[in-house]
């Protein structure tokens, strides 16, 4: 029988393992760190930020003791700045662009400074911004993830009445259900949802799914505009023999179960875990499996380190936590013993003369009690193809620069649109851009 069980560690170990991966800066540390910023004109860090936060300005405000003002600078561009400070891959965005790298190879710690300011503000304020006078216009937002929340907040600021329809039991989307537990501790995701809704003028109807409880045509009839922030609803299959046997789980669902459990010791994990994939989800699943007490955890990826969707920092985080990363292997068969997982057979891969990935004919077997699939998610298009259809491109919703879909009065953003990158900060940008376009259309 496979060795899969809960409660592998002592109670104190769970608290330690799932504590904040990035402890916040103290007030003194924040001031010292802010002094490292050159306050560049036309700052590369701001240009690298998908939401165009004026990073030198908010850092300067921290340095002068105006921490509330620093947070207001952040929230004016990114209302989910608190979560982005925790989960955004700053090492490949703003911090990678920091000019401090040229001389010191050590950027200003922008993410931690952003967290310092936003946490300070959330500790003292229930909301950000003041609503404009009511316009009498109603907007429906489908999906209470980062894109939907950002869109709703901006529309509420403009004086519109917003109703968010969310298929799950509560709002938050990826931030609530898909982020590693050690990245957003102490219920921060829901605290931030409450902060966003605190502006007023936003109602949330949870447990309501598009295509099941309402239709796009119905929303168009009842509301002046519609925003679709549907995210990605299905997990890609491995497409190999044995995928359906006991012990093979979707990494996304497993992470969600872990995130929602108040007792981490109740989550079952294998003694030997193989995670198949190379993105952030794969790393989040692998690291958390190790933190739950797995003896051996291996990430298996079909290409090399440079091609992994997980950033170099995330890859190093996995390795520091005892996770092995095996490159250039593709799964071929999940081997069973009885009715459960025993191993996974992989084929070694390589690039051919034309640069295409190909099998080498050589194989490797990894023993496993539990296998996690983390090879990406896909958009389920059925609900937006019924009745009046929304055009798709590459399997996702096609939008223009203002996030308009092909259907009049309907906008979309986040992972469900063509070009979505599974980043909270990009979803926020999409939601805000859509909201400004919706406002312009309703004001015309």
């Amino acid at each position: 029988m496979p060795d899969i069980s809960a409660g592998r560690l002592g109670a104190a170990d769970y608290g330690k393992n799932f504590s904040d991966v990035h402890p916040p800066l103290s007030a003194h540390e924040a001031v010292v760190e802010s002094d490292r910023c050159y306050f560049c004109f036309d700052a590369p860090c701001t240009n690298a930020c998908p939401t165009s936060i004026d990073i030198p300005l908010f850092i300067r405000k921290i340095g002068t003791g105006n921490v509330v003002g620093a947070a207001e600078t952040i929230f004016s561009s990114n209302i989910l700045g608190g979560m982005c400070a925790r989960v955004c891959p700053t090492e490949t965005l703003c911090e990678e662009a920091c000019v401090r790298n040229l001389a010191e190879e050590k950027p200003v710690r922008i993410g931690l400074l952003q967290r310092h300011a936003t946490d300070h503000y959330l500790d003292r304020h229930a909301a950000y911004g003041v609503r404009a006078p009511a316009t009498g216009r109603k907007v429906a937002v489908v999906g209470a993830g980062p894109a939907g929340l950002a869109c709703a907040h901006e529309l509420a600021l403009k004086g519109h009445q917003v109703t968010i329809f969310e298929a799950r039991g509560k709002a938050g989307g990826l931030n609530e259900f898909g982020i590693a537990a050690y990245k957003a501790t102490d219920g921060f995701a829901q605290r931030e949802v409450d902060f966003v809704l605190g502006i007023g003028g936003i109602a949330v109807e949870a447990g309501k799914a598009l295509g099941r409880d309402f239709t796009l045509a119905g929303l168009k009839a009842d509301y002046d505009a519609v925003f679709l922030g549907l995210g990605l609803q299905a997990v890609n299959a491995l497409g190999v023999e044995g995928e359906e046997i006991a012990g093979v789980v979707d990494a996304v669902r497993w992470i969600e179960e872990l995130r929602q459990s108040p007792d981490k010791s109740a989550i079952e994990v294998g003694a030997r875990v193989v995670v198949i994939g190379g993105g952030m989800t794969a790393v989040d699943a692998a690291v958390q499996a190790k933190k739950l007490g797995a003896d051996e955890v291996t990430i298996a990826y079909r290409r090399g380190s440079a091609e992994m969707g997980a950033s170099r920092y995330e890859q190093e985080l996995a390795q520091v936590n005892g996770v092995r990363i095996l490159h250039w292997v593709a799964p071929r068969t999940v081997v069973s013993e009885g009715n459960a997982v025993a191993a996974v057979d992989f084929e070694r891969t390589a690039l051919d003369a034309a640069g295409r990935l190909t099998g080498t004919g050589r194989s490797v077997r990894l023993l496993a009690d539990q296998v996690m699939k983390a090879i990406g998610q896909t958009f389920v298009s059925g609900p937006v193809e019924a009745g009046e259809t929304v055009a798709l491109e590459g399997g996702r919703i096609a939008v223009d620069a203002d996030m308009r879909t092909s259907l009049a009065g309907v906008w979309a953003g986040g992972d469900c649109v063509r070009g979505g990158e599974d980043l909270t900060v990009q979803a926020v940008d999409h939601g805000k851009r859509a909201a400004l376009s919706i406002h312009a259309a309703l004001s015309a």
Side-chain angles (χ1 to χ4, degrees):
M1 294 295 293
D3 186 357
I4 302 177
S5 67
R8 291 183 175 278
L9 305 173
D13 293 322
Y14 289 103
K16 177 183 176 182
N17 289 354
F18 287 93
S19 62
D20 204 327
V21 69
H22 294 302
L25 297 175
S26 68
H28 175 70
E29 288 172 331
V31 171
V32 171
E33 187 64 22
S34 71
D35 193 49
R36 296 185 62 240
C37 179
Y38 287 137
F39 310 115
C40 306
F41 175 76
D42 193 25
C45 55
T46 294
N47 295 333
C49 175
T51 55
S52 301
I53 294 172
D54 190 334
I55 294 170
L57 179 60
F58 94 68
I59 292 178
R60 182 180 291 274
K61 287 181 178 179
I62 290 175
T64 59
N66 183 12
V67 184
V68 168
E72 289 173 341
T73 297
I74 295 164
F75 291 135
S76 67
S77 295
N78 182 345
I79 191 58
L80 299 185
M83 183 61 81
C84 287
R86 289 163 164 78
V87 304
C88 195
T90 55
E91 65 276 3
T92 61
L93 294 172
C94 56
E95 291 182 11
E96 183 177 66
C98 179
V99 296
R100 276 281 185 182
N101 287 309
L102 299 177
E104 302 175 15
E105 297 184 354
K106 182 182 179 182
V108 175
R109 292 187 288 177
I110 298 169
L112 284 174
L113 287 172
Q114 180 168 314
R115 175 175 173 177
H116 175 75
T118 54
D119 282 4
H120 179 91
Y121 194 93
L122 263 68
D123 286 342
R124 293 160 176 79
H125 300 82
Y128 165 76
V130 178
R131 292 194 71 203
T135 63
R137 298 301 191 101
K138 300 188 302 178
V139 181
V141 171
V142 185
L149 289 170
C151 183
H153 186 272
E154 189 65 27
L155 288 168
L157 273 177
K158 303 297 186 187
H160 306 300
Q161 185 67 36
V162 182
T163 301
I164 302 178
F165 297 91
E166 169 55 43
R168 296 179 184 270
K170 58 182 174 180
L174 176 69
N175 291 350
E176 173 61 36
F177 297 98
I179 298 296
Y182 55 81
K183 292 181 179 177
T185 59
D186 302 323
F188 182 80
Q190 283 305 302
R191 184 182 173 202
E192 191 172 53
V193 168
D194 293 339
F195 177 72
V196 171
L197 301 181
I199 186 66
I202 305 173
V204 178
E205 295 195 18
K208 299 287 185 67
L210 179 64
R212 184 189 70 197
D213 303 297
F214 57 90
T215 65
L216 188 53
L219 293 182
K220 285 193 63 186
D222 295 338
Y223 292 85
D224 298 299
V226 178
F227 174 79
L228 302 175
L230 299 168
L232 302 176
Q233 307 92 344
V235 176
N236 291 331
L238 296 176
V240 301
E241 181 184 350
E243 181 176 358
E244 71 289 343
I245 65 178
V248 180
V249 300
D250 293 336
V252 172
R253 305 288 179 253
W254 185 80
I255 290 172
E256 177 180 334
E257 181 184 0
L258 176 58
R259 279 277 298 166
Q260 297 304 302
S261 175
D263 180 9
K264 300 297 184 281
S265 67
I267 302 300
E268 293 188 338
V269 67
R272 295 172 299 191
V273 178
V274 174
V275 182
I276 301 174
M280 303 289 271
T281 298
V283 170
D284 282 355
V287 171
Q288 291 185 115
K290 195 67 178 173
K291 287 179 177 289
L292 285 174
D295 295 328
E296 300 174 11
V297 180
T298 302
I299 292 175
Y301 181 58
R302 61 196 177 102
R303 294 181 182 269
S305 173
E307 289 78 26
M308 288 182 70
S311 67
R312 182 170 296 279
Y313 165 77
E314 290 288 335
Q315 294 178 49
E316 291 174 353
L317 178 67
Q319 292 167 327
V320 165
N321 279 277
V323 175
R324 174 194 181 198
I325 302 179
L326 182 62
H327 297 108
W328 302 107
V329 291
R332 291 294 177 257
T333 306
V334 178
V335 181
S336 63
E337 188 172 294
N339 296 316
V341 169
V344 184
D345 284 342
F346 293 87
E347 182 179 11
R348 297 281 186 181
T349 59
L351 299 180
D352 63 16
R356 294 170 302 205
L357 191 70
T358 184
T360 64
R362 295 182 292 119
S363 62
V364 60
R365 171 171 288 191
L366 296 181
L367 299 180
D369 299 291
Q370 190 175 41
V371 176
M372 298 186 184
K373 300 182 292 184
I375 58 171
Q377 294 176 269
T378 187
F379 176 62
V380 177
S381 60
V384 299
E385 291 185 298
E388 291 185 280
T389 62
V390 172
L392 303 180
E393 181 181 356
R396 302 194 193 184
I397 300 173
V399 293
D400 64 14
D402 293 320
M403 314 311 294
R404 291 178 180 269
T405 71
S406 62
L407 194 57
V410 180
W411 286 253
D415 293 343
C416 68
V417 305
R418 176 69 171 170
E421 297 180 3
D422 193 26
L423 291 176
T424 295
V425 67
Q426 187 200 53
V428 171
D429 175 58
H430 285 184
K432 185 171 182 178
R433 270 199 279 158
L436 294 175
S437 179
I438 292 169
H439 176 66
L442 297 182
S443 303

